[in-house]
Amino acid sequence: MPLRIGVPLETTPGEKRVATVPDVVAKLIKLGFSVGVQSGAGAAANCDDDSYRAVGAEVIDSAEALWAGSDVVFKVRPPSLDEVALMREGSTLIGFVWPAQNPELMQALQAKKATALAIDALPRQLSRAQKMDALTSQAGVSGYRAVIEAANAFGRFFNGQITAAGKVPPAKVFIAGAGVAGLAAIGTAANLGAIVRANDTRAEVADQVVSLGGEFVKVDYEEEGSGGGGYAKVMSEGFQAAQRRMYAEQVKDADIVITTALIPGKPAPKLITAEMVKTMRPGSVIVDMAAEQGGNCELTVPGEAAVRHGVTIIGYTDLASRLAKQSSTLYATNLLRLTEELCKAKDGHLDVNFDDQAIRGLTVVKAGELTWPAPPIQMPAPPPKPRAAAAPAPKAHGHGPGEPMSAKSLVTVFGVGAALFALVGAFAPASFLAHFTVFVLACFIGYMVIWNVTPSLHTPLMSVTNAISSIIAIGALIQVAPPLMGGGGDRPSGLILGLSVLALVLTAVNMFGGFAVTRRMLAMFRK
């Protein structure tokens, strides 16, 4: 008989998310499961009971009946001890558990001989685990919402404007931490027109910050800050002192500060001191996304927006829940992908296979036995670096591409050239020698002009062709100008004049057409 998945109403105050949505319920049923949803579980996420019934789920009135009648329970927030007491013995819980912060919950799950898969313990360093990574999907929503909350509390536009009523400068936003939430906040604030600066202990995220429109602010202290699994590590005292100095400068200059720094299993590090808050301009805003773990700001009140020294400090712990429909849909998809890994036979049964590193990592209790923490993930060794190519042996004669010509070769080339020039002068008429001299000098000057053109908003090829076209245009103008200006001297024949005009037309098309194409190419990359 296939297992039954139960989706209860979240009991945490203010929580509006639901563990699965109607679109995902239909896919769970195709995997062979039956699905029961507590009445009203999705109401705050715009998923009413009828929408669940329409895709084949059973709507159950009471929490007691749902918990007792479910083989597998999908949850968002960790269950309370009262909810664990309602669980059927030997059933499975899938959702956020936070085993390090909830020892009593872990003991209660073991007493129920339950199996608990903590989505927060997923080994995020595994590439195949990304589709199941609920921490990432929810952090992205939270980062976006943090900027929206800051904009709501801020008394000015984000983007700079010049109006008849005066000039409005752009808002300056500083983001501490460039993980998933921080990067989402950077992109959102930059899209709203703010000047965005960000910092992170992991130097490798600098390019990501810049790609989203921000400026990476580096701490003047060399230390690697990556702690693995997408998190940062605890830094040394020297680094933290340099970081506090840099934060003090950035906070003083910023209109909005968003902090996202978290270290797994530890209280949130204090990055913004009360003294830093005092230096901020009245009306400034701090959004502390780490408020649930104690906060990155010393003056944060978890769950509230407090005003301190004229600065609004937002410590909401339900940022993802404030976009309940979006975050519920993403979370439901994460759990669906996990369920597909657990039920590859599509027969409505779960196989918690410890040979799968991703499944082993997120399983914290199995049939009442504590299995957390999981053993470290054995990542494949990086490929060996290719050996450096041996330096080529020096050539006895001549020179290679890009190498300067030797003195001997240079003397030889000039000697041969001088001999040829003397030979031409000895036997050629005087008029030919004058034209030949002009021709040689023109070739030399033309070569120097063309190959010293610096590409600017062009490809090198376009720059060179424009330089050649310019020389052709000058030569054609020399032939066309005397007849047009009525000057004396020898006038060119009709054939030469016609060719000169044609050359002018073609070079103008080449040059102005090149600029037009370049402008169209650049326009493709503008927003």
Side-chain angles (χ1 to χ4, degrees), residues 48-327:
D48 58 23
D49 292 347
D50 290 338
S51 64
Y52 284 106
R53 291 192 184 97
V55 294
E58 179 185 354
V59 176
I60 301 171
D61 292 332
S62 69
E64 291 80 2
L66 183 132
W67 282 91
S70 300
D71 302 296
V72 182
V73 176
F74 282 2
K75 277 276 291 169
V76 180
R77 295 276 187 167
S80 65
L81 297 180
D82 291 337
E83 288 176 317
V84 174
L86 299 175
M87 287 181 68
R88 175 189 298 180
E89 189 168 305
S91 58
T92 300
L93 171 72
I94 301 178
F96 286 104
V97 176
W98 303 109
Q101 289 92 342
N102 295 302
E104 293 182 359
L105 172 61
M106 296 291 288
Q107 294 175 3
L109 291 169
Q110 292 176 68
K112 279 285 184 177
K113 293 183 172 52
T115 296
L117 280 73
I119 202 73
D120 48 275
L122 181 74
R124 302 169 76 187
Q125 61 267 45
L126 298 176
S127 58
R128 58 179 293 270
Q130 293 177 3
K131 61 185 177 181
M132 303 176 272
D133 189 359
L135 282 172
T136 293
S137 68
Q138 301 305 289
V141 176
S142 297
Y144 172 88
R145 185 68 190 196
V147 177
I148 301 303
E149 293 294 340
N152 182 57
F154 188 52
R156 219 174 65 222
F157 298 135
F158 264 48
N159 62 322
Q161 296 187 16
I162 299 177
T163 70
K167 180 180 178 181
V168 180
K172 296 180 180 179
V173 179
F174 176 65
I175 297 174
V180 176
L183 292 173
I186 291 167
T188 305
N191 288 336
L192 288 174
I195 297 173
V196 184
R197 298 187 181 96
N199 167 261
D200 196 281
T201 57
R202 297 159 292 186
E204 65 267 18
V205 304
D207 290 339
Q208 300 175 41
V209 171
V210 174
S211 70
L212 289 170
E215 175 191 347
F216 187 78
V217 183
K218 192 174 184 297
V219 177
D220 189 17
Y221 194 98
E222 293 299 329
E223 183 176 350
E224 173 55 42
S226 179
Y231 290 100
K233 70 176 185 179
V234 178
M235 307 301 286
S236 67
E237 285 297 328
F239 182 93
Q240 292 180 36
Q243 185 183 54
R244 283 192 292 270
R245 289 193 296 270
M246 183 271 289
Y247 276 13
E249 296 174 2
Q250 294 297 324
V251 168
K252 183 179 180 179
D253 186 51
D255 298 304
I256 294 168
V257 176
I258 299 175
T259 65
T260 69
L262 281 174
I263 298 171
K266 296 181 180 295
K270 299 299 180 186
L271 305 178
I272 311 299
T273 64
E275 292 301 319
M276 294 182 193
V277 175
K278 291 179 182 179
T279 65
M280 297 181 73
R281 289 181 288 271
S284 300
V285 179
I286 297 175
V287 182
D288 193 340
M289 296 185 63
E292 194 166 8
Q293 303 300 325
N296 296 137
C297 177
E298 289 182 348
L299 303 181
T300 297
V301 180
E304 298 181 13
V307 178
R308 299 288 186 269
H309 309 294
V311 178
T312 302
I313 304 174
I314 298 174
Y316 298 150
T317 58
D318 60 346
L319 289 171
S321 184
R322 289 170 180 253
L323 287 170
K325 178 68 174 180
Q326 181 70 76
S327 53

